[in-house]
Amino acid sequence: MTDALNAIHDFLPCRTPQRWIENALANQDLMLIDHAHCEKKAASTALSLMYRYVDNTDLLNKMSRLAREELRHFEQVLAIMGKRGVRYDHLTPARYAAGLRKEVRAEDPGRLVDVLIVGAIIEARSCERFAALAPHLDDTLSDFYNGLLKSEARHYRDYLALAERAAGGPVNDRVETFLGLERQLIESPDTEFRFHSGPV
Ligand SMILES: [Fe+2]
Ligand SMILES: [Fe+2]
């Protein structure tokens, strides 16, 4: 697992700021509610790709498995919330995903390549944050977040491989563009704490 995590640290433009970790530890109920939303949204994004790109068999298989895994994560977060008496509720989304998607090109195949790169970055950041948080959490949450690392690291690799295949070659230029944006979204002060927010 450390190899997969090292690869993710190499890929991402920066580590999660310490201030965000403090925000998360002070807002654990909110973190769980937003985490549940993120898992549900991850499944939904995978399903929408399956609707749009019906002739891409590799994408259909990888996204179908990914959607199932994200929904399973969603159920696991809900179960932990239930045990803690944390009620699931609507939340305004973080600026993060919308901030990344602003750069997605409008026309295919560029659109697909970009959406897949954004998917890879979101998975990689989620993995990095689970690893950063785990040592500070209680045993239940720590075990859960350490367990999620493995699948999120594979999701990152699957998205990146699909992006390269959709582009018919390396996607480094586009990845660099999106990582530049990502760094700002992760490091600049944010107004509301969310799983993918900047420090508040
Ligand atoms: Fe997940
Ligand atoms: Fe994932």
Side-chain angles (χ1 to χ4, degrees), residues 35 38-39 42 69-71 73-74 123 130 148 151-152 155:
H35 180 184
C38 290
E39 299 290 2
E69 290 174 348
E70 305 297 18
L71 287 176
H73 299 164
F74 174 72
E123 295 285 351
F130 290 138
L148 290 180
S151 46
E152 310 305 5
H155 296 166

Side-chain angles (χ1 to χ4, degrees), residues 2 4 9-11 22 44 53 55 57 71 77 83-84 86 91 113 124 136 139 141 143 146 168 188:
T2 45
H9 286 151
D10 288 346
F11 172 76
E22 289 160 18
S44 166
Y53 303 101
D55 56 348
T57 308
L71 287 176
V77 185
K83 283 198 189 115
R84 295 175 184 217
V86 179
L91 273 187
V113 172
H136 305 286
D139 289 353
L141 270 189
D143 288 351
N146 277 321
S188 66

